[in-house]
Amino acid sequence: MGTRPAGDTVDILESLLAPLQDRRILDIGCGRGYLLRALAERGARMAGVDPDEAALEAARRLVPKAQLHKAGARHLPWGDASMHAAIFLNSLHHVPVPEMLPALEEAARVVGKGGTVIVVEPLSEGTFFDALRLIEDETEVRQAAQEAIVRALRRGVVSEQRRIEFDRIEAFPDLAAFIARAIAADPAREAQALAARGKLQARFETLSERDERGYLLHQPIRLHHLKVPVGPRPVVNPALFG
């Protein structure tokens, strides 16, 4: 979890959360701390959780002033309404499926009424996704994450302020760099990546575009800008969600 955010992603987050100065923002699934650093450099007071102790140690070195805890998304060690905003950056689909909705409810709790929850999730499409499928097929968990957001909206846990879709382009000098990127998100993938290396090389080269940056893969992204209702939870018509 906690992959390195592209500059445009950080710019979008800043525009949605501005002004960042002294705002308390929680990065759920912070990984090695790349988003923590990016937003802290823009004035935010950052906190983060991740279940991976090694990743947290790296985050502590990267952002010494951030308040970091080893924890899952289901149980956040902060009080009610203690944060201005909570962000899931490419992390909700890594939460066990039965815990995805509770994780969104927990995020809503720590930001409180009127607080912001932003969920940024990769979709099950694009050349990056197609290459990754030989290492791990995330089709079901990515869809489950979208369904958890719909359930949270139906229950009135949050309301959707805005939905933004954009294309993230990642450049790799070679296949080894792509594998390193995939393993950084989940070290358990290493064995499968090595076992599938031959097929992966062929698919990687077929799917990639090339320019001076190297091999380019596209990953469509969906960002949900959510708010916790201030008043009683609204009654939502399920037909609005299909």
Side-chain angles (χ1 to χ4, degrees):
M1 292 189 282
T3 54
R4 189 185 300 271
D8 55 353
T9 306
V10 177
D11 289 341
I12 292 170
L13 291 173
E14 181 176 24
S15 70
L16 296 175
L17 295 170
L20 285 179
Q21 191 66 40
D22 292 328
R23 287 177 67 82
R24 297 185 303 276
I25 299 175
L26 174 61
D27 183 1
I28 301 174
C30 64
R32 302 177 69 84
Y34 301 121
L35 181 62
L36 294 170
R37 179 175 64 179
L39 296 184
E41 288 175 344
R42 300 182 187 211
R45 295 165 56 190
M46 297 301 299
V49 295
D50 200 279
D52 185 331
E53 183 60 41
L56 279 176
E57 282 301 318
R60 291 186 181 103
R61 292 191 295 270
L62 194 65
V63 195
K65 293 185 178 180
Q67 187 181 21
L68 304 178
H69 291 281
K70 182 179 180 180
R74 178 66 181 83
H75 300 287
L76 300 175
W78 285 278
D80 296 357
S82 56
M83 298 287 166
H84 291 108
I87 302 171
F88 294 85
L89 177 62
N90 299 327
S91 60
L92 184 59
H93 70 280
H94 289 289
V95 175
V97 172
E99 298 183 10
M100 287 180 179
L101 177 57
L104 291 169
E105 293 173 331
E106 183 72 343
R109 179 188 68 78
V110 298
V111 302
K113 293 181 178 180
T116 297
V117 177
I118 295 178
V119 184
V120 184
E121 275 290 305
L123 300 177
S124 299
E125 55 190 75
T127 52
F128 182 96
F129 170 74
D130 287 338
L132 181 65
R133 288 176 70 183
L134 278 177
I135 300 174
E136 181 177 359
D137 189 343
E138 291 189 337
T139 302
E140 292 186 4
V141 292
R142 291 187 183 192
Q143 183 59 37
Q146 295 298 321
E147 291 170 355
I149 295 167
V150 170
R151 293 201 303 274
L153 292 169
R154 284 176 172 166
R155 294 189 180 191
V157 175
V158 288
S159 62
E160 188 164 63
Q161 304 299 298
R162 190 176 181 188
R163 182 180 300 186
I164 303 169
E165 295 193 2
F166 57 98
D167 187 29
R168 184 181 73 209
I169 302 175
E170 296 197 45
F172 302 95
D174 50 31
L175 175 65
F178 172 75
I179 292 175
R181 162 75 170 78
I183 293 173
D186 184 355
R189 293 171 171 169
E190 183 172 9
Q192 179 59 25
L194 295 176
R197 189 180 182 94
K199 291 182 179 179
L200 188 57
Q201 180 76 54
R203 180 174 292 188
F204 177 75
E205 293 185 358
T206 299
L207 292 171
S208 298
E209 301 170 12
R210 300 185 195 183
D211 67 10
E212 67 279 359
R213 292 170 291 175
Y215 295 83
L216 309 182
L217 294 172
H218 294 254
Q219 176 56 68
I221 300 290
R222 180 177 293 158
L223 182 151
H224 301 264
H225 178 205
L226 310 170
K227 283 278 190 180
V228 179
V230 174
R233 290 187 177 182
V235 177
V236 180
N237 181 359
L240 295 175
F241 301 96

